[in-house]
Amino acid sequence: MGNADAVFYSRVLTELTLSFHIIYATIGVGVPLMIFIAQWIGIKKNDEHYILLARRWARGFVITVAVGVVTGTAIGLQLSLLWPNFMELAGNVIALPLFMETFAFFFEAIFLGIYLYTWDRFENQKKHMLLLIPVAVGASFSAFFITIVNAFMNAPQGFDVVNGELVNVQPLIAMFNPAMPTKVAHVIVTAYMTAAFVLAAIAAFRMLKGSEHIYHKKALYLTMKLGMIFSLVSAMIGDFSGKYLAEYQPEKLAAAEWHFQTEENAPLILFGIMKDGEVKYAITIPYALSILAHNNPFTEVIGLDQFPVDETPPLYIHYLFNIMVFIGMWMALLSAIFVYGSIIGWSFIRSNWFLRLIVLGGPLTILAIEAGWWLAEVGRQPWILRGYMKTEEAATSSGQVDLMLMLFAGLYLILGIGTVVVLRRMFKRNPVEKELEDRRVGMGGEIH
């Protein structure tokens, strides 16, 4: 295997691992907050359905955490095995956030264990609910620290380069780089949004299957309302991300928007295809790119003509940007219609065709998360550490990467199928109606 092959397989394996891990990581960050909100409402309203929601979500959440540990460990392993030159250069800079991420995860896992095994040990449910705060905080901080590493790769700072080595490292300056605020905020808020819409899809699916139980209706309304809130917040953060890119990574913004010539009054290009070097069938919105980049319709936006061809990101990231934005806007609209319709009594939001749209929203939001990550990673190419090291310089020269790719692909296939099988069995054996009846019998008819 030549060096070019090693680079190719290293990139494919890293992309496969990140693409698989991001599903579990997103659910892992978002679901603890949903559990906390459900339990808080249940205690506040003395409503057994919300209490049971929290309990069942927590049970399923443990499975995703377990798989997330395996895939997260794989990423750490692959950083050293596949990108040894990058780790040699930047390892001492990213060591602190990587360690802090591990610490945040263990912090979350310890309190999650205590929370799960003390469900019926507390007379006062509020005290039990407080255990969820470190779980939710630990999950979000885990995302915070690992995203800082990615932000550093996009906007490296906090060091000097002497003889090809990073020296005089200032870890805090490196961590709090210009990419950090928008990237961290976008990752965490979209995780909350995705978790809400995935849980909404499950509730809508149960209702489509004929379950008219009030439990599922409450679950659907709660998750769609939370999904709407977080989708609107993520759209605002996306706007800030555009302004960050215009300032610090203009080549990434230009490639994502197919903005080839530096110009004022820059239009925004949506959709379209590239044919013989020309953009066809696109929707062009006048002045919109200048507004996105600088909040001014007449401002100049830097185009790809300002960058060498070998430092231009692949142009297909335009499609990834469109997928991410379109799904985000669609889910914001769908959830807004559902919430507004629930308030004023529209009957069609309970119809089968509308419930199917909500079910479809679950995988769609996962797809949007994937497209966003691919956009973030591919849009940085050809750099692994922007401005300092190119991806091909960072990769291993080992001839075994293709074998590693097959082994890890097999592992992820087993883990993915295993997750679905275990979750299906877990909830099939314990339907909602049975659990509610058991709780009433066990508690003498009252909820503590």
Side-chain angles (χ1 to χ4, degrees):
M1 183 191 292
N3 193 50
D5 289 336
V7 173
F8 172 76
Y9 285 119
S10 294
R11 288 186 64 184
V12 171
L13 178 50
T14 305
E15 183 171 10
L16 176 67
T17 303
L18 281 171
S19 299
F20 188 70
H21 175 70
I22 200 66
I23 299 170
Y24 293 90
T26 300
I27 290 168
V29 172
V31 169
L33 182 66
M34 306 298 133
I35 299 170
F36 178 82
I37 292 170
Q39 194 167 354
W40 178 71
I41 293 172
I43 293 167
K44 192 179 173 190
K45 293 186 173 182
N46 195 25
D47 189 321
E48 63 182 335
H49 295 124
Y50 287 105
I51 299 283
L52 185 59
L53 255 184
R55 192 165 192 161
R56 285 170 71 85
W57 285 349
R59 217 178 287 150
F61 174 62
V62 174
I63 308 301
T64 61
V65 168
V67 179
V69 172
V70 178
T71 53
T73 306
I75 289 171
L77 181 69
Q78 287 171 21
L79 267 176
S80 298
L81 288 177
L82 301 180
W83 310 103
N85 299 334
F86 167 71
M87 291 302 288
E88 189 180 344
L89 179 73
N92 58 342
V93 184
I94 63 173
L96 179 61
L98 284 174
F99 168 76
M100 294 299 288
E101 191 271 337
T102 308
F103 176 79
F105 172 75
F106 280 117
F107 183 73
E108 171 198 357
I110 289 164
F111 280 96
L112 177 63
I114 298 169
Y115 172 79
L116 284 168
Y117 287 106
T118 54
W119 255 103
D120 300 314
R121 307 287 174 90
F122 283 90
E123 279 295 316
N124 186 345
Q125 275 277 341
K126 285 181 184 173
K127 290 180 181 174
H128 180 243
M129 184 186 71
L130 291 176
L131 289 169
L132 268 177
I133 294 174
V135 177
V137 169
S140 294
F141 267 95
S142 186
F144 174 81
F145 288 117
I146 204 66
T147 308
I148 277 178
V149 175
N150 188 272
F152 170 76
M153 293 161 77
N154 282 276
Q157 65 172 35
F159 56 85
D160 296 322
V161 179
V162 177
N163 298 328
E165 291 185 16
L166 305 191
V167 297
N168 302 329
V169 174
Q170 297 170 285
L172 290 178
I173 292 176
M175 285 168 65
F176 293 93
N177 56 70
M180 189 277 291
T182 51
K183 197 170 268 288
V184 166
H186 199 61
V187 164
I188 292 175
V189 171
T190 51
Y192 296 154
M193 178 193 82
T194 304
F197 284 133
V198 167
L199 294 172
I202 294 167
F205 181 75
R206 295 306 309 157
M207 289 168 69
L208 271 175
K209 285 290 184 181
S211 177
E212 283 294 309
H213 203 286
I214 189 73
Y215 166 92
H216 295 300
K217 291 177 180 173
K218 287 178 179 177
L220 184 61
Y221 182 67
L222 172 64
T223 49
M224 287 298 274
K225 189 157 67 171
L226 290 170
M228 180 188 74
I229 293 166
F230 289 121
S231 61
L232 294 173
V233 175
S234 64
M236 287 166 52
I237 296 167
D239 180 62
F240 293 132
S241 297
K243 288 163 181 53
Y244 155 76
L245 288 176
E247 180 77 20
Y248 294 98
Q249 289 180 274
E251 75 283 5
K252 191 182 208 174
L253 181 68
E257 306 297 354
W258 281 356
H259 182 58
F260 299 105
Q261 301 296 322
T262 301
E263 61 181 346
E264 299 172 356
N265 319 328
L268 185 69
I269 294 174
L270 291 176
F271 310 110
I273 60 168
M274 189 72 70
K275 198 171 183 182
D276 301 325
E278 284 188 34
V279 179
K280 305 265 190 181
Y281 316 117
I283 299 169
T284 303
I285 306 172
Y287 305 108
L289 185 56
S290 288
I291 294 170
L292 174 68
H294 302 291
N295 268 349
N296 183 333
F298 309 111
T299 311
E300 181 179 87
V301 180
I302 296 170
L304 288 174
D305 58 338
Q306 300 294 310
F307 302 96
V309 175
D310 65 341
E311 291 182 15
T312 299
L315 293 179
Y316 72 80
I317 65 171
H318 174 74
Y319 300 118
L320 301 175
F321 176 80
N322 283 332
I323 290 168
M324 177 184 71
V325 171
F326 182 75
I327 292 174
M329 289 169 63
W330 166 248
M331 293 309 297
L333 177 65
L334 189 72
S335 54
I337 291 169
F338 180 85
V339 172
Y340 183 70
S342 298
I343 294 168
I344 66 168
W346 284 342
S347 58
F348 76 84
I349 61 168
R350 303 286 182 196
S351 64
N352 281 359
W353 68 267
F354 198 86
L355 289 174
R356 285 192 187 98
L357 289 178
I358 297 173
V359 172
L360 183 63
L364 274 180
T365 45
I366 295 287
L367 176 61
I369 287 285
E370 295 284 13
W373 263 109
W374 295 335
L375 171 64
E377 296 302 276
V378 179
R380 190 178 64 245
Q381 298 307 315
W383 304 103
I384 190 168
L385 188 63
R386 184 177 178 270
Y388 292 93
M389 178 179 268
K390 291 192 173 179
T391 305
E392 61 191 29
E393 299 165 356
T396 180
S397 55
S398 167
Q400 306 297 319
V401 187
D402 52 347
L403 177 61
M404 275 181 69
L405 174 61
M406 287 188 282
L407 291 172
F408 274 105
L411 172 67
Y412 302 149
L413 187 65
I414 293 166
L415 288 172
I417 293 170
T419 304
V420 174
V421 169
V422 170
L423 287 173
R424 276 176 63 90
R425 283 190 178 175
M426 182 186 286
F427 291 110
K428 262 193 170 180
R429 288 177 181 175
N430 293 292
V432 172
E433 295 80 1
K434 178 176 176 291
E435 283 209 51
L436 281 169
E437 189 59 38
D438 289 348
R439 280 174 66 77
R440 285 174 183 145
V441 170
M443 295 183 173
E446 64 174 318
I447 303 298
H448 292 273

